[in-house]
Amino acid sequence: MHIDSIQLFRVRLTDFTSSSGAELESVLVAMSSGDRIGFGEASLTVGPFEAPEWASGAFDCIRDWMAPAIVGREVNSGHDLQKAIEPFQGNSRAKSALDMAWWNLRAEELGKPLFEVLGGSRIAIPVGISLFPKESIDDLLADVGAAVDAGYAVVTLKFRPGWDIQVVRAVRETFAVAPVAIDCDGMCSLGQQEMFYRLEDFFLQFIEQPFAADDLVGHAMLQQAIRTPICLDQSVTSLARVEQAIDLGSCRQLRIDVAAVGGLTPALAIREVCEEARVPCALGGGASGALAYYSAAALGTLPNLTAPAEAVAFHTAVWNKPGEAASIKTTKAGTLGLLLPKTPGAGIAIDLQILAESAVDQATIC
């Protein structure tokens, strides 16, 4: 597949923020081959608040370095594309937008849904929900009750200093058999091992990212000491990191954020390694544009993506053409699942004219 040109657009996601409240923008990639266009998207904060990358930086990196390394070349696989941008260090979210665009271009060429091109099948992806600290435990219990009634496959409680053991105990006393987990976001330490022993009494589905992202040894030590599965999230940044985590025994499941690992191609490689090691995976990620959300969700239709995906907000912008939408349905297990559309590509069509009119910055590389 010859890549003729790449158009870039940086757009503001108006009235839409990340979970921390930081403003979000998207960098959209329109990759052309002949008369076909594949779209990719990376949604980032306006500054380096939650990750080393930010929207205008990703736009510049793609425009000045990555896109020129791709345009004019034959790119016949995701591996070919990753090889072309391999010399550029870091910038995983910028890479993910290009990788996503190539896969959607391939899906358009084949006239198939993206999930089929990736090797998946049309299944309802199990969905879980994360709940943040509230003004009171009673307020949280009301939210947990609503989530359980709605049918979420797992309810994950954000675990924070001062909002920890007593909160989990209250939830478990009220909802004795509900599927409950906690997410520490790397805020705990190995010195709190006694606390994790106490959490064993609550029969949690998993403990997500207890320690800092680079502390794979600490995670391994904790996982050896407790029966509750550890789920890595922020630690999952590359195939090499995942292989190291598996070798050390740092987790019993993990969450794949397509943007954080550099695109669908590396995410597929991570999924395969985890399947061989019998480590179940789940979809990760944060608030994003609809194109990024739908494209990443296609990964969740593959085998071994059995743990519930995170229910995150996505922005349906004016440049998204109306079409068949993803739907939430009740699965045979009685829980909520995300069902992707069967239209070619990711299921999101883009109006280039409206996109160009909405952009705060744009460029064409040909």
Side-chain angles (χ1 to χ4, degrees):
M1 185 188 306
H2 189 270
I3 307 304
D4 299 323
S5 65
I6 289 176
Q7 292 175 272
L8 297 179
F9 306 88
R10 180 167 64 88
V11 292
R12 292 194 175 96
L13 301 182
T14 54
D15 301 319
F16 193 71
T17 61
S18 67
S19 59
S20 70
E23 293 182 1
L24 285 168
E25 294 183 340
S26 273
V27 177
L28 286 107
V29 173
M31 185 178 292
S32 298
S33 178
D35 58 356
R36 295 186 179 88
I37 301 176
F39 291 94
E41 179 179 28
S43 301
L44 307 100
T45 52
V46 296
F49 304 125
E50 298 177 0
E53 292 178 84
W54 65 98
S56 62
F59 179 92
D60 291 348
C61 186
I62 296 173
R63 179 195 62 201
D64 296 343
W65 301 103
M66 294 182 184
I70 297 168
V71 170
R73 295 182 57 159
E74 293 292 326
V75 181
N76 295 312
S77 68
H79 293 291
D80 286 350
L81 184 135
Q82 290 288 329
K83 192 70 176 177
I85 58 180
E86 187 178 30
F88 310 113
Q89 299 300 301
N91 292 280
S92 61
R93 286 164 174 78
K95 290 177 178 179
S96 74
L98 290 163
D99 188 87
M100 189 181 294
W102 184 88
W103 278 103
N104 278 316
L105 180 59
R106 178 65 171 158
E108 292 290 341
E109 180 184 51
L110 297 174
K112 293 182 177 181
L114 177 61
F115 64 81
E116 283 188 10
V117 178
L118 293 176
S121 56
R122 195 168 190 249
I123 61 168
I125 303 164
V127 177
I129 189 170
S130 290
L131 299 179
F132 285 81
K134 305 289 288 189
E135 289 294 325
S136 70
I137 290 180
D138 286 343
D139 289 343
L140 177 68
L141 292 177
D143 286 353
V144 173
V148 170
D149 291 343
Y152 283 102
V154 64
V155 179
T156 302
L157 310 175
K158 291 292 187 177
F159 200 71
R160 299 289 187 267
W163 190 260
D164 40 50
I165 290 282
Q166 76 277 14
V167 174
V168 179
R169 179 180 292 110
V171 170
R172 186 48 85 206
E173 287 175 351
T174 307
F175 304 96
V177 297
V180 174
I182 63 169
D183 181 5
C184 304
D185 281 325
M187 294 185 178
C188 299
S189 68
L190 198 58
Q192 296 170 286
Q193 198 156 345
E194 182 64 31
M195 178 188 70
F196 288 105
Y197 294 156
R198 293 168 63 192
L199 286 168
E200 295 280 78
D201 296 337
F202 302 117
F203 300 98
L204 299 172
Q205 298 289 301
F206 55 82
I207 298 172
E208 186 167 330
Q209 198 67 46
F211 307 144
D214 58 356
D215 190 6
L216 295 182
V217 172
H219 283 104
M221 293 173 66
L222 179 61
Q223 184 65 95
Q224 290 168 13
I226 63 175
R227 66 175 181 270
T228 305
I230 289 175
C231 175
L232 294 182
D233 182 0
Q234 288 91 341
S235 295
V236 181
T237 55
S238 67
L239 176 60
R241 177 64 67 88
V242 168
E243 289 175 330
Q244 185 181 11
I246 291 173
D247 288 344
L248 289 170
S250 303
C251 63
R252 292 185 189 147
Q253 59 181 263
L254 57 81
R255 197 175 291 283
I256 304 173
D257 179 349
V258 170
V261 302
L264 289 164
T265 302
L268 288 168
I270 290 170
R271 186 216 67 83
E272 184 176 355
V273 164
C274 289
E275 184 176 38
E276 291 173 357
R278 298 183 180 179
V279 175
C281 300
L283 286 174
S288 70
L291 175 66
Y293 175 82
Y294 275 58
S295 298
L299 182 74
T301 67
L302 273 72
N304 202 49
L305 268 291
T306 52
E310 189 83 19
V312 298
F314 64 92
H315 187 275
T316 302
V318 293
W319 52 84
N320 296 327
K321 294 179 182 178
E324 185 184 355
S327 59
I328 296 289
K329 61 172 289 184
T330 302
T331 67
K332 293 179 180 179
T335 57
L336 294 181
L338 175 70
L339 193 66
L340 294 172
K342 294 185 69 175
T343 50
I348 293 288
I350 303 292
D351 187 315
L352 271 173
Q353 181 177 342
I354 296 177
L355 178 59
E357 292 170 354
S358 304
V360 296
D361 202 355
Q362 56 186 292
T364 300
I365 298 89
C366 55

